[in-house]
Amino acid sequence: RNYSTSTPRMMAHVDRLTDPESFLDELDVFIFDMDGVIWRGDSLIDGVPETLRKLREAGKQTFFVTNNSTKSRAGYKTKFDNLGLDFIPSKEIFSSSFSAAAYLEMTQFKETGKKVYIIGEAGIGDELDLIGIPWIGGLQDQGKQPPMGPGDRLEHDHDVGAVVVGFDRNFNYYKIQYAQLCINENPDCKFIATNLDAVTHLTDAQQWAGGGSMVGAIKGCTGRDPTVVGKPSPLMINYLCDKFGFDRKRICMVGDRLDTDIVFG
């Protein structure tokens, strides 16, 4: 008798590509993940520039979509340039920080007169600034500690109508407490996650805890599931198809994670 509690592994059979020309003829658009596909940390992956140039020479459109919210689209354009990919225009680059701003814009959050509390780095705030949504938190809360002596309490802004949680290398207990107060005590406060990635590629030496670890902490103390705006949420693919009129059957997604990139595809 088998008492194993492990789940049987489901293996998919995928035929090896033998006719690349026919494959390319069926596609108009290639969407690439960035971290782990274009670069690892600040190191460009071998063969990337040549591959992107060949696709563009073949008349294919390329787009780059990342769950990493630490930079704005402009910030990622700078990174592309610094890595020698200056032929990639900013209009082809999309980050989950942009996705968060796009979601708030589509849901007419600005009209509520509320502000956003950010757990994350510069990218989210930069994107919100571009569409005129006020925010607090982010890098401003780096290193803060809540008062925790007898009778102490952390006061929070009751005008916060949304908490956006992204990857944050300065994540701390102050931010956890502030976010849970906004979500638990402010009526109808939205809980938005840029992504649920378990790990990320900060350097080319190892994997690092990803944005999902920050989101998990807030989910744990609020009991709320977030609205996820990054991959594999369809928000970004819907945005691209609506804006550019793509045929979804003629798009190829290139990524390194089954649970985000390939599900998104």
Side-chain angles (χ1 to χ4, degrees):
R1 183 178 295 177
N2 182 8
Y3 290 98
S4 172
T5 58
S6 62
T7 303
R9 297 183 66 183
M10 303 297 291
M11 304 297 290
H13 174 73
V14 181
D15 292 330
R16 188 174 183 84
L17 182 64
T18 57
D19 187 2
E21 289 188 3
S22 295
F23 174 73
L24 287 174
D25 287 343
E26 296 175 353
L27 298 167
D28 299 321
V29 180
F30 285 80
I31 300 176
F32 292 88
D33 178 41
M34 299 185 208
D35 299 312
V37 174
I38 303 300
W39 55 63
R40 290 190 182 91
D42 290 320
S43 301
L44 189 66
I45 293 175
D46 291 343
V48 164
E50 297 82 0
T51 299
L52 297 180
R53 283 195 173 94
K54 285 182 178 179
L55 287 174
R56 297 169 80 84
E57 289 168 1
K60 308 303 178 182
Q61 289 185 275
T62 57
F63 291 87
F64 304 86
V65 178
T66 179
N67 270 353
N68 192 327
S69 63
T70 58
K71 295 181 177 64
S72 63
R73 296 175 74 186
Y76 276 109
K77 170 57 178 167
T78 299
K79 182 166 184 175
F80 272 84
D81 291 349
N82 291 340
L83 290 175
L85 301 174
D86 52 346
F87 56 91
I88 301 297
S90 57
K91 67 180 181 179
E92 296 181 0
I93 302 170
F94 295 89
S95 63
S96 61
S97 53
F98 172 81
S99 298
Y103 172 77
L104 289 170
E105 189 169 38
M106 287 187 293
T107 56
Q108 298 182 321
F109 179 82
K110 186 176 180 179
E111 282 68 25
T112 68
K114 300 288 187 179
K115 63 187 69 169
V116 173
Y117 179 68
I118 296 174
I119 291 178
E121 301 188 17
I124 301 171
D126 288 346
E127 293 290 352
L128 293 183
D129 286 342
L130 292 175
I131 58 174
I133 290 180
W135 58 272
I136 58 174
L139 296 177
Q140 300 168 0
D141 287 350
Q142 178 179 343
K144 287 186 178 180
Q145 294 183 346
M148 290 182 286
D152 279 337
R153 55 185 285 122
L154 179 62
E155 300 295 339
H156 76 285
D157 192 328
H158 293 272
D159 285 332
V160 169
V163 173
V164 177
V165 182
F167 181 71
D168 189 337
R169 282 168 285 198
N170 299 295
F171 194 54
N172 58 38
Y173 190 66
Y174 178 95
K175 298 180 182 185
I176 296 174
Q177 174 64 358
Y178 203 101
Q180 78 85 9
L181 287 172
C182 292
I183 294 170
N184 285 336
E185 298 189 9
N186 291 3
D188 302 318
C189 183
K190 299 177 183 290
F191 175 21
I192 300 167
T194 61
N195 68 85
L196 300 178
D197 292 5
V199 294
T200 190
H201 302 280
L202 285 181
T203 70
D204 57 2
Q206 62 182 185
Q207 291 185 325
W208 298 77
S213 58
M214 292 89 197
V215 176
I218 307 307
K219 179 179 177 180
C221 60
T222 62
R224 291 262 305 274
D225 288 319
T227 297
V228 182
V229 295
K231 297 173 293 185
S233 164
L235 183 145
M236 189 51 62
I237 195 71
N238 292 341
Y239 177 89
L240 289 172
C241 288
D242 290 345
K243 183 175 179 63
F244 297 102
F246 295 149
D247 180 351
R248 292 170 185 261
K249 294 180 181 179
R250 297 184 63 83
I251 301 174
C252 178
M253 177 67 205
V254 183
D256 63 338
R257 293 180 62 94
L258 290 173
D259 59 341
T260 56
D261 300 323
I262 305 309
V263 173
F264 179 73

